[in-house]
Amino acid sequence: QAAADPMSYSDAPEDGPKETSSVSQNISDADAFKILLEVKMKKRQKKPNLPSTVTELDTEDGSKVYVVGTAHFSDSSKKDVVKTIQEVQPDVVVVELCQYRVSMLKMDEKTLLKEAKEINLEKLQQAIKQNGVMSGLMQMLLLKVSAHITEQLGMAPGGEFREAFKEASKVPFCKFHLGDRPIPVTFKRAIAALSFWQKVKLAWGLCFLSDPISKDDVEKCKQKDLLEQMMAEMIGEFPDLHRTIVSERDIYLTYMLKQAAKQIELPRASETEPRKYIPAVVVGVVGMGHVPGIEKNWNSDLNIQEIMSVPPPSASSKIFKFVIKATVFGLMGYGCYRIGQRTVRFILSMPAAQSYLQKLTEIRSQH
């Protein structure tokens, strides 16, 4: 309506409202859609000037997908995402997030920075309750890696996703999709892929991560995302873990991008009017480490049912789970014992308690 009747948003004469009303009634939803679509198409660059981090992919029906490879802790990546969305005016923006991590889109940078640095018992309990003992511990260890980078750089993760969310909201008829596999599925499949000693070794490596990181290191990793590179170095000796955390998610992300790139049906003025479709334009925002896998899987027939299933826990998982529980309860018991000892000693050392015990001794000696 704004595009068709600018008078309704300016100083109109006295009979303006009547004219506005009649014009608005004469414009159908289909016409309004076409007008805004034309505005969007005029802004869309035929030959977009894209950053070097963007990979262009095509579908069989003519849709285009622009995959922006990002470093999760990079200011430069944020700018790449903004520029790409502004240049191509997409119909859909897909980001490497799932519903369990969507909260980072709603928080401001300051809150996220604080949240990322604070890994406490409450967060551990929540992760275990949500994903189970093993997957919850794995999630917290990976959060520790992320928090380590956050502390070193003073920069909260996910900045490129928040920029994508903001820019998508400025593009007419642009949808925003979460394109990553649910994190509980990924962690449960990752845990199931490891033997008992592999789990212990990986947990040990994650617990004692402390190498310093600079902003220059992040920018150097534009060809391979820093967080995923660090993970790759730690899980390099565990090919099954790499398969579940990286390769399977490459397949899932590819599948979601292809789903988002289906042709768009134009609205019809009536039921008798034939259906018309136009190719879609999609922007995908993913870690740079996933781009080669997406390119590799792009022309393959993908079935994600297999990588969405969670295998039953193995014997080693049950043993590891028992050991963790026994350790936690043992430490808690020992802590209570030590606290109890100190409490008793403190109470007995008080003058009032000593006086009471002396009187009790005297009474007993009299009897």
Side-chain angles (χ1 to χ4, degrees):
Q1 290 176 359
D5 185 23
M7 287 289 286
S8 63
Y9 290 86
S10 62
D11 294 327
E14 289 183 4
D15 59 345
K18 293 179 182 178
E19 292 178 8
T20 300
S21 177
S22 63
V23 172
S24 298
Q25 289 174 359
N26 290 333
I27 296 178
S28 65
D29 289 343
D31 289 335
F33 181 92
K34 287 176 183 176
I35 291 169
L36 288 173
L37 188 62
E38 285 175 8
V39 173
K40 177 177 177 176
M41 292 302 182
K42 285 179 181 177
K43 290 183 70 177
R44 182 178 285 174
Q45 301 294 322
K46 290 183 179 179
K47 292 184 178 179
N49 180 22
L50 300 173
S52 60
T53 52
V54 176
T55 300
E56 185 177 337
L57 301 168
D58 298 301
T59 66
E60 294 178 356
D61 55 23
S63 295
K64 287 192 174 293
V65 178
Y66 300 92
V67 183
V68 187
T70 67
H72 293 316
F73 292 84
S74 168
D75 285 326
S76 177
S77 286
K78 296 180 192 177
K79 294 175 184 176
D80 289 353
V81 170
V82 171
K83 183 175 178 60
T84 303
I85 293 175
Q86 289 177 348
E87 286 283 316
V88 306
Q89 293 289 297
D91 303 300
V92 186
V93 171
V94 182
V95 296
E96 185 198 328
L97 287 177
C98 68
Q99 65 266 37
Y100 293 91
R101 292 183 291 156
V102 74
S103 59
M104 71 165 55
L105 296 175
K106 303 172 185 177
M107 295 183 191
D108 58 76
E109 196 82 8
K110 187 177 179 181
T111 305
L112 273 165
L113 195 60
K114 183 181 177 183
E115 285 285 319
K117 289 180 179 179
E118 293 179 356
I119 298 179
N120 50 37
L121 184 60
E122 184 180 349
K123 286 186 178 179
L124 176 59
Q125 289 173 336
Q126 186 179 355
I128 290 174
K129 185 178 180 180
Q130 187 180 77
N131 305 317
V133 175
M134 291 303 307
S135 299
L137 288 170
M138 175 67 77
Q139 182 177 347
M140 292 309 295
L141 288 172
L142 290 177
L143 280 176
K144 183 181 182 296
V145 177
S146 180
H148 170 63
I149 302 174
T150 298
E151 189 174 4
Q152 293 280 316
L153 301 180
M155 182 188 300
E160 72 275 32
F161 302 138
R162 288 188 291 282
E163 290 298 323
F165 184 66
K166 290 176 189 174
E167 287 302 314
S169 67
K170 300 175 185 177
V171 179
F173 310 114
C174 183
K175 298 178 181 178
F176 190 84
H177 289 184
L178 304 176
D180 202 1
R181 182 172 65 178
I183 201 166
V185 176
T186 297
F187 284 135
K188 286 175 182 177
R189 287 183 62 83
I191 290 297
L194 297 177
S195 67
F196 173 76
W197 291 113
Q198 284 176 327
K199 290 168 189 170
V200 173
K201 193 171 183 179
L202 178 65
W204 182 268
L206 290 169
C207 283
F208 292 96
L209 178 74
S210 59
D211 294 336
I213 302 159
S214 68
K215 288 191 177 184
D216 289 338
D217 292 332
V218 178
E219 295 308 321
K220 287 176 184 176
C221 288
K222 284 296 289 292
Q223 298 306 313
K224 192 172 185 182
D225 179 64
L226 177 63
L227 182 58
E228 290 178 8
Q229 180 173 327
M230 293 177 70
M231 286 304 303
E233 290 173 358
M234 284 186 286
I235 66 178
E237 58 188 291
F238 310 131
D240 288 335
L241 191 61
H242 184 275
R243 172 176 54 79
T244 54
I245 290 182
V246 180
S247 301
E248 289 183 359
R249 287 173 59 226
D250 289 346
I251 294 171
Y252 192 91
L253 287 164
T254 307
Y255 178 85
M256 295 302 288
L257 286 168
K258 292 178 84 169
Q259 289 295 306
K262 289 184 176 180
Q263 286 191 324
I264 299 168
E265 182 182 353
L266 296 175
R268 295 178 293 165
S270 66
E271 291 294 327
T272 57
E273 186 179 336
R275 297 178 184 273
K276 294 180 182 178
Y277 297 86
I278 59 171
V281 172
V282 177
V283 169
V285 182
V286 304
M288 182 59 76
H290 289 292
V291 176
I294 292 171
E295 286 187 276
K296 177 185 174 183
N297 291 302
W298 189 249
N299 295 316
S300 305
D301 291 327
L302 303 175
N303 182 1
I304 63 169
Q305 295 302 318
E306 183 182 345
I307 62 171
M308 288 299 289
S309 63
V310 179
S314 62
S316 63
S317 292
K318 292 177 181 177
I319 294 170
F320 193 68
K321 183 177 179 180
F322 174 78
V323 170
I324 291 294
K325 281 187 173 180
T327 303
V328 170
F329 284 118
L331 289 172
M332 287 175 64
Y334 180 72
C336 291
Y337 169 73
R338 294 289 295 177
I339 291 171
Q341 272 191 328
R342 290 177 183 175
T343 303
V344 171
R345 287 174 185 170
F346 175 73
I347 292 172
L348 291 177
S349 66
M350 295 175 67
Q354 290 181 350
S355 176
Y356 176 79
L357 288 172
Q358 187 176 359
K359 289 180 180 179
L360 187 63
T361 305
E362 291 174 357
I363 292 170
R364 289 187 63 181
S365 61
Q366 289 176 1
H367 290 283

